[in-house]
Amino acid sequence: MARGRREARPGPGAELERLKRGLSRDWPPGLTLLEGDSGYHVDRAQRALLAALLPGQGDDLAVTVFSDERVEIATVVAAARSRGMFAPRRVVLVRDVAIMEGEIEVLQGYLEKPPPQSHLIVRATSLDRRRKLHQELSKSSMAFAFFAEAATTAEIERDFAEMVRERGLTLERTAGLWLLGVCAASYGRIESELDKLRDWVGTSTARIDLNGVRHVAAGSEFMDGWELAKAVLARDRPAAYAAVRGLLARGKEPLMILGGIGWYSRALIATRARLDAG
């Protein structure tokens, strides 16, 4: 491998599947690290872990959670070492590594020899390997990385289909591809738009076509950018002028509008090619 080249990360979907496969066996005690900026995958990994480690147990009784306030590392380790009163396993969840502070020696002792049935789950958007705490956490043999930038097209489409099923929606293929293109593979944006669609259709089980998706998504800035690019590619001056006026009225900078035309145009061409290829 060439010097300085970053080793390719596995896609977040592949990492989630790897974690789930591991849950089919006895999960080892000690630290499980969930690192990455793809909240969609980290949340699902966390839920899968808790469901497997504490089946049928409520989080309020079986899990000690550290979420917002600063906490000493020694306090976290003490909680992980304590005996569970309501469950056979002791599970401690730290929602963000950034809240942990203090000396790491006590953590090193825990990582070297964790008590049986003790599980410490730590979430981190990104570890800084220059920090001693982060260095220790990164040594875990049960470390999983969920970074959105590593997602493949196949993973994104598979996750999109799962999000659609979770909401009980049925989208025509063209509508789904169009929405994926508009959302630019942003999981947060995809979930937001699908939630809007779910609220819009209510209890209806009808298939949602392209016009339906466009209707619900209309009014947002990225929709105007899409419409502008479409009008430019179609050489439809009135529609392009209308889209530009809408963007300018909301304070969009002209240079950003020009950059957006290029981005959305590329997305439209790519989506058109995929549709033509079936």
Side-chain angles (χ1 to χ4, degrees):
M1 184 171 62
R3 179 177 298 180
R5 182 179 299 173
R6 177 183 292 179
E7 185 178 351
R9 288 171 172 155
E15 279 288 82
L16 182 58
E17 291 304 313
R18 181 169 75 90
L19 181 144
K20 289 181 177 179
R21 288 195 300 270
L23 290 174
S24 63
R25 304 180 294 273
D26 288 337
W27 199 259
L31 171 67
T32 299
L33 176 66
L34 306 179
E35 181 189 6
D37 57 7
S38 179
Y40 171 85
H41 294 94
V42 175
D43 287 343
R44 279 156 179 73
Q46 176 186 307
R47 287 202 294 268
L49 269 171
L50 295 181
L53 295 175
L54 300 166
Q57 298 289 326
D59 290 1
D60 55 339
L61 297 179
V63 183
T64 298
V65 180
F66 298 97
S67 56
D68 299 319
E69 298 181 357
R70 292 279 182 175
V71 60
E72 289 289 327
I73 295 173
T75 301
V76 174
V77 173
R81 288 189 179 278
S82 64
R83 292 181 177 271
M85 296 179 60
F86 304 100
R89 291 188 174 98
R90 185 68 172 133
V91 179
V92 174
L93 170 64
V94 179
R95 293 192 182 277
D96 188 347
V97 68
I99 69 173
M100 298 176 67
E101 59 186 13
E103 300 298 326
I104 67 170
E105 285 75 13
V106 65
L107 175 64
Q108 291 171 330
Y110 173 84
L111 297 180
E112 290 173 2
K113 192 176 181 180
Q117 306 301 316
S118 172
H119 299 273
L120 171 60
I121 303 171
V122 177
R123 295 176 55 148
T125 301
S126 181
L127 292 182
D128 182 353
R129 266 65 177 184
R130 296 169 298 181
R131 300 183 57 187
K132 290 184 178 180
L133 170 60
H134 292 203
Q135 290 173 9
E136 289 299 320
L137 295 176
S138 66
K139 295 176 183 177
S140 173
S141 61
M142 305 304 293
F144 300 85
F146 306 96
F147 289 94
E149 66 179 11
T152 65
T153 300
E155 284 182 338
I156 295 171
E157 292 183 350
R158 183 170 61 248
D159 292 335
F160 177 76
E162 179 63 24
M163 285 186 267
V164 171
R165 285 193 296 271
E166 288 176 350
R167 290 161 177 77
L169 299 172
T170 304
L171 271 65
E172 290 185 358
R173 177 168 174 76
T174 303
L177 287 174
W178 185 86
L179 186 58
L180 269 176
V182 167
C183 293
S186 167
Y187 280 88
R189 184 177 290 180
I190 291 171
E191 289 192 295
S192 175
E193 291 304 317
L194 289 178
D195 286 343
K196 287 164 59 177
L197 280 171
R198 178 193 56 199
D199 296 340
W200 178 60
V201 300
T203 59
S204 173
T205 58
R207 292 177 64 86
I208 305 174
D209 59 13
L210 179 58
N211 287 332
V213 174
R214 286 163 58 89
H215 173 76
V216 175
S220 61
E221 182 177 301
F222 70 85
M223 269 297 302
D224 285 336
W226 184 275
E227 294 295 342
L228 174 57
K230 180 181 176 182
V232 170
L233 290 177
R235 300 183 181 181
D236 186 340
R237 288 190 179 185
Y241 288 148
V244 168
R245 283 195 295 271
L247 290 169
L248 291 174
R250 285 195 295 277
K252 193 72 170 180
E253 292 292 333
L255 284 177
M256 294 185 68
I257 294 175
L258 289 174
I261 292 175
W263 189 94
Y264 285 109
S265 296
R266 289 192 296 272
L268 276 166
I269 293 170
T271 300
R272 180 71 263 175
R274 291 168 66 189
L275 286 171
D276 291 343

